[in-house]
Amino acid sequence: MRQYIEPIWKYWTHFKAKQAIAMLLLFGCVFFAISFAIHQPGVEHLDLRFTKALQSFHPSWIYGIMLGFTALGNSENLFIVGVAVAAFFFFKHRPLAAWLTMITLVGLPINMLLKVYAGRPRPSTDLVSVLAPTIGLSFPSGHAMASTTLYGFLAILAWMHIPQKGTRIAAFFCLAITAVMVSLSRVYLGAHWLSDVVGGWTAGIFLLVIIVEVYKHWGKRELGLHKPVPREPEVAHFQT
């Protein structure tokens, strides 16, 4: 998979301001389009069919795995992960990476505001199996949004900083898959609809693009891209 990731990453690292703004506009428009579409019968029908298809796969071991992944996206666990990773980066003398790791958690309060804006109720027991009863509103998924921002940023930091190719790829995929599985676990457990998760992904990626762009532009020293220009050796001049 490295041959697919590296060209994408190389393209992103050469993003200019206009390209980053265009990407933010794209994900912002997609998010608001989904927020309007969630109340349409067609989207509701698709959400219901997807949840029932996902829940039809129910071997004895899957419930525990889904509970484990959803726990990784709980706000308190995300906070613990964020603080632990930030402390690690402070110890490694990468303060900007540490602060931005903590800033990814801003997605949690922002998600609450977005839920009030959308006002969508959660899946009910008369429609799907609610295996993890949850209070509050549904769109966008807070687990999907916050996990995408935090684990996504950690995946990108792993890709930036780990020198060994095998370890770098493994860390990147483990973190990226964690964000995806946290999101899908919410649908499987009946806590969210598919469109809630997609909305969470778009909002999370929106924040992620901003944070990564900040790190690219102001974290050059931490990335090893800011290297002093070597001075030319002084030549002694002797009078004859």
Side-chain angles (χ1 to χ4, degrees):
M1 297 296 293
R2 181 165 57 90
Q3 65 269 28
Y4 300 107
I5 300 174
E6 287 186 342
I8 297 173
W9 175 248
K10 185 177 180 181
Y11 178 75
W12 195 358
T13 54
H14 289 85
F15 256 22
K16 303 300 181 183
K18 291 182 179 179
Q19 293 170 308
I21 292 172
M23 195 172 183
L24 291 174
L25 288 174
L26 172 63
F27 281 101
C29 290
V30 170
F31 174 82
F32 284 108
I34 297 172
S35 68
F36 285 109
I38 56 176
H39 301 291
Q40 302 303 314
V43 174
E44 293 176 347
H45 179 67
L46 177 63
D47 281 337
L48 183 59
R49 289 189 61 182
F50 183 86
T51 300
K52 287 187 173 182
L54 195 61
Q55 290 185 337
S56 66
F57 180 72
H58 48 77
S60 57
W61 49 267
I62 193 69
Y63 177 68
I65 290 178
M66 290 300 181
L67 280 179
F69 274 113
T70 208
L72 291 174
N74 291 343
S75 57
E76 57 271 20
N77 291 333
L78 288 172
F79 183 78
I80 291 172
V81 171
V83 170
V85 173
F88 171 79
F89 278 120
F90 271 121
F91 178 76
K92 291 292 186 178
H93 306 291
R94 292 192 171 101
L96 184 60
W99 283 114
L100 291 178
T101 299
M102 293 299 299
I103 288 174
T104 62
L105 300 175
V106 77
L108 294 170
I110 291 176
N111 178 262
M112 296 179 185
L113 297 176
L114 294 175
K115 282 182 176 178
V116 173
Y117 155 76
R120 187 187 200 187
R122 291 184 183 271
S124 57
T125 53
D126 60 322
L127 296 175
V128 297
S129 297
V130 180
L131 305 176
T134 309
I135 61 173
L137 298 171
S138 189
F139 179 90
S141 167
H143 278 67
M145 180 176 172
S147 296
T148 297
T149 308
L150 175 59
Y151 293 123
F153 184 56
L154 297 184
I156 290 173
L157 288 177
W159 191 265
M160 287 178 170
H161 289 293
I162 297 176
Q164 300 84 3
K165 289 185 178 180
T167 306
R168 179 171 69 243
I169 294 171
F172 178 88
F173 273 103
C174 285
L175 290 163
I177 290 172
T178 296
V180 173
M181 290 303 300
V182 167
S183 305
L184 293 180
S185 72
R186 304 303 287 164
V187 180
Y188 185 87
L189 296 172
H192 283 288
W193 299 111
L194 173 63
S195 55
D196 297 335
V197 166
V198 176
W201 284 341
T202 56
I205 294 173
F206 183 93
L207 293 176
L208 181 60
V209 169
I210 296 174
I211 292 170
V212 172
E213 286 300 305
V214 169
Y215 192 58
K216 280 167 49 184
H217 287 285
W218 281 278
K220 291 182 178 181
R221 188 178 298 277
E222 295 184 15
L223 288 168
L225 302 178
H226 184 79
K227 297 179 180 179
V229 177
R231 296 178 60 184
E232 294 183 0
E234 295 183 0
V235 179
H237 297 280
F238 299 97
Q239 290 184 350
T240 58

